[in-house]
Structures are given as C-alpha cells and as structure tokens.
Amino acid sequence: MQPFQSYMNLALLEAKSAANRGEVPVGAALVGPDGKVLAVAGNQTRAACDPTAHAEILVLREACRMLKSERLSGCDLYVTLEPCPMCAAAISAARVRRLYYGASDPKSGGVERGPRIFAHSQAHHVPEVYDGIGARDSEELLKSFFQERR
Amino acid sequence: MQPFQSYMNLALLEAKSAANRGEVPVGAALVGPDGKVLAVAGNQTRAACDPTAHAEILVLREACRMLKSERLSGCDLYVTLEPCPMCAAAISAARVRRLYYGASDPKSGGVERGPRIFAHSQAHHVPEVYDGIGARDSEELLKSFFQERR
C-alpha cells in the first residue's frame, strides 16, 4: 500500500467514527515533513456547537499547537471529502504543502468548483492538490449516513 | 450615533488592541438579535499560533459557545476589514444575518473580489452585506501598523 493510501485510511477511520457520533462523516489527517502523523480528527460541528469544527480545521489547529507555529510548511493534509471554501482557505493560510482529498463535493466544495479558492490571487499559498484518493469509500460513508437520516 | 456605528467602534477598539499586541489590526463584534453584544475579539493568529484565529472566527466560535448552537440566525457581525475567504465562508456556515465591514481588502478579501464567497451556490446562506462602515479608521490602523514594521 502506498503511504498516501495509509494516511487516507486514517482519515477514513475518523470519518467512520464521526458518523457513529452523528456527525457528517468527514475525517482528516495531518502529516509532518518526516511522515509522522501530527493530528487526526473527524467533524465535530454538532458536538462542539462550532460551525468551524470541520475535520480539516481541527487537524490544522492541533498541528499548529503542537509545532507552536501558525505555518505548517512541508506538512500534508489528507481529507476524505473536497474541502469547503472555509477549509480550503485555512489550508492555504497554514501553508500546507500537499492536499490529498477523496470524494468530490458538488454541493459545498470550494476547490474544484464555485469559489475555487486556490485559483485566485487572494490565496497567498497554493498547495499541490491530489483528488480522488479513497473516493469510493468516502462516498459510501456519506451516502449511507444521509440515507439513514432521511 | 447610529447603532451600527457604535458596534463598529467596538470592533475598531479590538483592532487597536490587536495592533498593540503585535497582531494585524483587525477587530470584530458579534451582536445578537436583541442588540446585545455577544462577543468581541481582535486577531490572535500570532499569539495563539493558529492561522484560523482571525477576529471573525473568534467571535463566531465564542457566540456559538454562549448560545450552545452552531447557527447564529438573527445575529449580526461587525468587522473592521473585508473578510478573507475562510471567514466569509464561516460567516455563511454560521447563518449570520448581516455582515457589516469597514475597509476593503484587495490583497486578501473574499467577499467583493477573488473567490466572492457569497456569489456561488456552495454558500448555503448569504448574509446581507454592508461595506465601508468606519473604513477610514480601519485603513489608518492597518496602514500605520504595516508602516511601523517596514
């Protein structure tokens, strides 16, 4: 298994765990320049009563806390779903090196559609982006989560 | 003085206080449906080692904590500078009713330029937007802050 698949699997585990807590199943992992996993998290918006508590924001904040830095140069972020505009802009602000994501998100995504955060000069740093990693597992999680709630 | 000016003055005080702490001078105030001030904050990205600790995000999170809700329907946000894409998307996610902001931000703004967060279908809620409120004071604060640092 390629390293990027192992890291995405960690993010998928966090997404599953989020679903079990009744949160939208999205998970993320933040990996340091040496390959060490610095933070993992799933969505917590409901439990934390915090609209900013997306998986991506949680791992960015946790890694910054650990490294005592507001920049995560050389770090890579893995997330099971295309980031929303808020998270994409936070990823840029944190100077994340590479963004790997799973499923596309036509409804709320901000990377490959709509605001296309990284395509404007207001994004002062643009990560390398790799999409479709573990997309099927991520889609299935989201589909069954929303089907159960209808 | 109009109420919106008083609220913006609170945000400007927070921006000044941020400058005194060596943070980029941007301040915000979050006001409830009854006109009560729920939260005020200035930027804290440096002190908190947190790239998401913009004034807007801080007041959104604080008000959600107070109201035990991830939605701030009927609440209004005052901020001294045009929000960046991250903050604009968070304002939408939190269902803020009205956004009042001061100076325009060609370099990093995400409301009237670049990603234009509220102009895409991925923004599931669009606040009423009032710009240019207290813009001159805000611009002077930012200008003198960056001049001193050059």
Side-chain angles (χ1 to χ4, degrees):
Chain A
M1 191 185 289
Q2 296 284 323
F4 70 82
Q5 291 171 313
S6 315
Y7 294 130
M8 189 57 86
N9 283 347
L10 287 178
L12 282 163
L13 280 175
E14 289 296 320
K16 276 176 207 160
S17 160
N20 292 340
R21 299 191 312 268
E23 303 271 3
V24 175
V26 179
L30 203 293
V31 178
D34 57 357
K36 195 178 149 194
V37 178
L38 297 175
V40 294
N43 268 354
Q44 289 181 24
T45 59
R46 289 183 60 179
C49 292
D50 180 356
T52 75
H54 287 187
E56 300 94 311
I57 299 285
L58 296 174
V59 296
L60 290 174
R61 298 183 71 212
E62 174 65 17
C64 286
R65 233 184 335 253
M66 286 178 65
L67 300 178
K68 294 183 176 47
S69 165
E70 52 173 314
R71 296 198 172 180
L72 298 171
S73 308
C75 294
D76 301 332
L77 192 146
Y78 296 76
V79 56
T80 57
L81 186 66
E82 179 187 352
C84 79
M86 174 182 72
C87 292
I91 286 164
S92 171
R95 307 302 197 259
V96 166
R97 179 176 57 178
R98 297 189 191 112
L99 165 64
Y100 296 83
Y101 70 84
S104 283
D105 188 0
K107 188 166 162 271
S108 306
V111 173
E112 51 180 296
R113 70 198 74 249
R116 288 182 170 74
I117 292 297
F118 303 134
H120 301 276
S121 64
Q122 287 77 15
H124 304 306
H125 165 83
V126 173
E128 293 172 38
V129 178
Y130 303 89
D131 62 355
I133 316 292
R136 196 178 303 175
D137 290 343
S138 170
E139 279 162 16
E140 277 170 18
L141 266 173
L142 286 156
K143 203 175 286 180
S144 71
F145 179 82
F146 286 112
Q147 266 169 357
E148 278 169 27
R149 262 147 197 83
R150 261 178 213 133
Chain B
M1 191 185 292
Q2 296 284 323
F4 70 83
Q5 291 171 314
S6 314
Y7 294 130
M8 188 58 85
N9 283 346
L10 287 179
L12 282 163
L13 280 176
E14 290 295 319
K16 276 176 207 160
S17 160
N20 292 339
R21 299 191 312 268
E23 303 272 1
V24 175
V26 180
L30 203 293
V31 178
D34 57 355
K36 194 178 150 194
V37 177
L38 298 175
V40 294
N43 268 353
Q44 288 181 26
T45 59
R46 289 184 60 178
C49 292
D50 179 356
T52 74
H54 286 187
E56 300 95 312
I57 300 285
L58 296 173
V59 296
L60 290 174
R61 296 183 73 213
E62 174 66 17
C64 286
R65 232 185 335 255
M66 286 177 65
L67 301 177
K68 295 183 176 46
S69 165
E70 52 171 316
R71 297 198 171 180
L72 298 172
S73 308
C75 293
D76 300 332
L77 191 146
Y78 296 76
V79 56
T80 58
L81 185 66
E82 178 186 353
C84 78
M86 174 182 73
C87 292
I91 286 164
S92 172
R95 307 302 198 259
V96 166
R97 178 177 58 179
R98 297 188 192 113
L99 165 64
Y100 297 83
Y101 70 83
S104 283
D105 188 359
K107 190 167 160 271
S108 305
V111 173
E112 51 180 295
R113 71 199 73 249
R116 289 181 170 76
I117 292 296
F118 303 135
H120 301 276
S121 65
Q122 285 78 15
H124 304 306
H125 165 83
V126 174
E128 293 172 37
V129 179
Y130 303 89
D131 63 353
I133 317 291
R136 196 178 304 177
D137 289 343
S138 171
E139 279 161 17
E140 276 170 17
L141 265 173
L142 286 157
K143 203 175 286 180
S144 72
F145 179 82
F146 286 111
Q147 267 169 357
E148 277 169 27
R149 262 148 197 84
R150 261 177 214 133

